[in-house]
Amino acid sequence: MAPASPHPSADRSLHGKPDSGWRRSVYTVIFEADTPGGRRFDQALIWTILLSVLVVMADSVEAIVNRYGDILQVLEWIFTVLFTVEYIGRLLSVQRPLRYATSFFGIVDLLAILPSFLSLFVPGLHFLTGVRVLRLLRIFRVFKLPRFMDEYLMLGRALKASSRKILVFLSVVSLIVLSMGTIMYVVEGPEHGFTSIPAAIYWAISTITTVGFGDITPHTTLGRLIASLMMLLGWGVLAVPTGIFTVEMTMAHAQHARQQKSERKCGVCNTTDHDADATFCKHCSTKLPEEAAP
């Protein structure tokens, strides 16, 4: 069975839709994107989230703060008040507010406003309001794109299936980095910037990942030879986890395709192994029924 996707009906079963009254009206607007009011509300919410994130980003640029600092602070509190009212509205409009508050979106909604209030006591925490960008995940519900959740779930399954292989691979890379860093510390020494084994390991990591900051470089012939081998090894290191993940993605996609096979039976040749979106039988080209026969 295909995994459930975020949909207004899922919200109703999870949080509880009121039977009548103003709470039902508020619930319809806030939680349901399949109504005109709910769709307009969610689209306005997404634009508000984007603008609030831009304000937080601008507040981290010194030149902008020096010129528009007061305006940015006012805008930040306007967004905080709006999100607070929205959060309270969500809590009041559901029959099970605790379940909503402890859900994924409930926690994200709370984190979107909490840093601003905490910054009154601990200055600097308001930058954590950048977590509001996570609220943009609601775009899947707003624009009716739940089908993309299947791809996200497939990606998660592939990561989970390849996690042990990648973990083994990373452990091997860690051993290589530790060994080569120690060797370079012995070969180059503190006089060439390799002041300690941890510093040499840092060099090994930046070299094997082909980053190469250049703040520590070998000067001896042997050291440069080792560095060259590390750089060549880095190309292979980048390819291995990509290959592992690609194989798992291919297997996950094949499994998903098998699960999506339709059980509709052709009325002529009795074939049932059809794709979910098939209109005609792939064996005799007869038009398939709209639903599977009971």
Side-chain angles (χ1 to χ4, degrees):
M1 181 180 295
S5 58
H7 190 270
S9 61
D11 286 337
R12 287 194 289 268
S13 61
L14 179 63
H15 307 136
K17 182 177 181 178
D19 296 328
S20 61
W22 65 269
R23 294 176 62 204
R24 182 182 178 89
S25 301
V26 173
Y27 185 99
T28 302
V29 172
I30 293 181
F31 283 98
E32 296 185 348
D34 55 351
T35 62
R39 187 177 182 86
R40 287 193 296 268
F41 172 83
D42 282 343
Q43 289 176 350
L45 177 62
I46 287 175
W47 281 108
T48 305
I49 294 169
L50 285 172
L51 290 174
S52 69
V53 172
L54 290 176
V55 168
V56 173
M57 294 172 62
D59 198 27
S60 65
V61 180
E62 185 177 359
I64 297 178
V65 173
N66 291 337
R67 188 168 182 178
Y68 304 105
D70 294 337
I71 298 176
L72 292 175
Q73 188 174 8
V74 171
L75 289 175
E76 170 57 31
W77 278 107
I78 290 175
F79 289 129
T80 299
V81 171
L82 290 175
F83 291 139
T84 302
V85 171
E86 179 223 352
Y87 181 72
I88 294 174
R90 291 181 182 274
L91 289 175
L92 294 178
S93 63
V94 295
Q95 292 182 335
R96 293 184 285 273
L98 181 60
R99 180 171 293 184
Y100 161 72
T102 55
S103 66
F104 172 76
F105 280 119
I107 294 174
V108 171
D109 291 344
L110 178 61
L111 292 178
I113 59 176
L114 199 58
S116 295
F117 293 107
L118 291 178
S119 66
L120 296 175
F121 307 98
V122 184
L125 284 183
H126 67 283
F127 288 110
L128 295 178
T129 52
V131 75
R132 290 172 182 170
V133 72
L134 292 177
R135 304 191 72 200
L136 292 176
L137 292 173
R138 295 182 186 275
I139 196 172
F140 291 103
R141 182 169 65 91
V142 175
F143 294 104
K144 309 294 287 183
L145 300 177
R147 62 183 179 273
F148 285 101
M149 291 305 297
D150 289 338
E151 278 66 29
Y152 275 105
L153 292 173
M154 187 186 305
L155 181 65
R157 286 193 294 268
L159 286 172
K160 183 178 180 180
S162 59
S163 59
R164 295 184 64 179
K165 298 184 183 71
I166 294 178
L167 182 62
V168 171
F169 167 75
L170 291 177
S171 64
V172 173
V173 173
S174 299
L175 290 175
I176 294 175
V177 166
L178 178 62
S179 302
M180 299 304 287
T182 303
I183 292 174
M184 285 297 290
Y185 171 71
V186 175
V187 171
E188 293 291 329
E191 62 273 15
H192 293 150
F194 294 80
T195 55
S196 64
I197 291 179
I201 292 175
Y202 157 77
W203 168 86
I205 293 174
S206 63
T207 302
I208 201 171
T209 55
T210 68
V211 175
F213 292 112
D215 52 345
I216 304 177
T217 57
H219 291 75
T220 65
T221 302
L222 180 58
R224 290 173 177 173
L225 176 61
I226 295 174
S228 300
L229 294 175
M230 290 282 288
M231 287 181 241
L232 293 174
L233 182 62
W235 287 100
V237 166
L238 293 174
V240 171
T242 305
I244 293 174
F245 183 69
T246 301
V247 170
E248 294 296 341
M249 278 292 294
T250 303
M251 295 175 62
H253 179 73
Q255 181 181 3
H256 179 71
R258 289 193 298 270
Q259 292 175 347
Q260 293 298 314
K261 291 293 185 182
S262 174
E263 295 181 358
R264 290 174 297 167
K265 181 185 293 186
C266 175
V268 176
C269 63
N270 293 327
T271 301
T272 58
D273 188 24
H274 299 104
D275 292 334
D277 58 349
T279 305
F280 299 93
C281 176
K282 63 182 179 182
H283 288 168
C284 65
S285 301
T286 301
K287 185 175 178 61
L288 296 172
E290 295 295 331
E291 297 180 356

